[in-house]
Amino acid sequence: MSSTRDEPLSARFDVSGVIPDGAAWLASAGPYPRSTLALWEEQPDAPVVLPCGSVFDVVSAPVVFGRRMADRLWDEGPGTGPVATFRGRMLLFAAPGTAQRLPSLLRWEEWGAQDGGCTRTVSIPPLLCHGTGDAVTVPAPLSAVASPTRSDTRWLVAPDTRQPWLPGPEILLWAAVRAARAAVRISIFPPADQDAKVYDVSRRR
């Protein structure tokens, strides 16, 4: 009986959305891209630690707030770059340099929004910005297939090209502010099933 591991690499990657070009882009962030790709050949369900700062930065948010940011970007903005969830955090892949610039933009937005001691960005949780000198663990290409019970560790928008579009700090600031505004709205309706959300990457601008 054949298993997922017995299938060709391209077919296995296609199942979860991380195609070979996307895997190559991820691997290029590390010092030994060929070794990373070889690891995924042998263990396509293995998460890896990749350095930030040269190929991409990563903005990590609590999963619910990060989902709101991604929703804003897809519903009202230009879309996102690759997005993953990993152990209760949402990882939004961003343009290099974002980790250095975004914290100061968030502080400025909060300061500029003061009105009688209140700020409109009070609902923005601390965002972890990973850039030069940092590293993050990213889900395996086949995380959704190899570990179906680990729904907290998977790709939501998988890398699908060797040169994916990545949002910069201004775009992520825009998304964070709008996500914070949405968070304070009171609704009488129950929350939608967040796992059912599908992002149409063909809409990315």
Side-chain angles (χ1 to χ4, degrees):
M1 181 176 179
S2 63
S3 66
T4 299
R5 289 175 182 269
D6 296 327
E7 297 173 0
L9 181 64
S10 59
R12 287 186 272 134
F13 277 18
D14 286 344
V15 172
S16 65
V18 180
I19 65 172
D21 280 351
W25 173 73
L26 284 170
S28 71
Y32 306 107
R34 291 183 180 178
S35 296
T36 300
L37 291 174
L39 170 65
W40 280 334
E41 285 277 4
E42 295 296 325
Q43 302 180 54
D45 57 347
V48 297
V49 177
L50 295 174
C52 302
S54 59
V55 175
F56 54 75
D57 283 0
V58 170
V59 175
S60 173
V63 69
V64 173
F65 188 81
R67 175 71 78 163
R68 291 193 184 109
M69 288 180 63
D71 287 348
R72 297 285 75 72
L73 285 165
W74 282 104
D75 292 344
E76 305 168 22
T80 66
V83 179
T85 60
F86 192 83
R87 296 181 179 176
R89 304 287 298 186
M90 186 78 75
L91 308 180
L92 297 117
F93 286 70
T98 297
Q100 181 179 5
R101 180 67 175 146
L102 183 58
S104 61
L105 291 178
L106 287 167
R107 288 192 296 270
W108 177 260
E109 175 69 22
E110 184 171 338
W111 179 86
Q114 289 180 347
D115 181 12
C118 297
T119 67
R120 66 171 175 251
T121 58
V122 69
S123 297
I124 296 180
L127 303 179
L128 304 180
C129 298
H130 303 286
T132 303
D134 299 323
V136 295
T137 302
V138 303
L142 286 183
S143 57
V145 175
S147 302
T149 60
R150 290 296 307 274
S151 61
D152 63 332
T153 302
R154 62 193 178 96
W155 289 100
L156 298 181
V157 180
D160 57 0
T161 174
R162 287 179 181 267
Q163 294 182 322
W165 178 81
L166 299 171
E170 293 83 4
I171 292 175
L172 290 176
L173 172 69
W174 175 90
V177 170
R178 278 156 182 76
R181 290 175 180 170
V184 299
R185 294 173 186 160
I186 299 174
S187 174
I188 62 173
F189 299 104
D193 180 4
Q194 295 295 335
D195 285 336
K197 184 80 173 185
V198 175
Y199 299 111
D200 179 5
V201 295
S202 67
R203 288 186 53 250
R204 188 183 289 125
R205 298 171 188 170

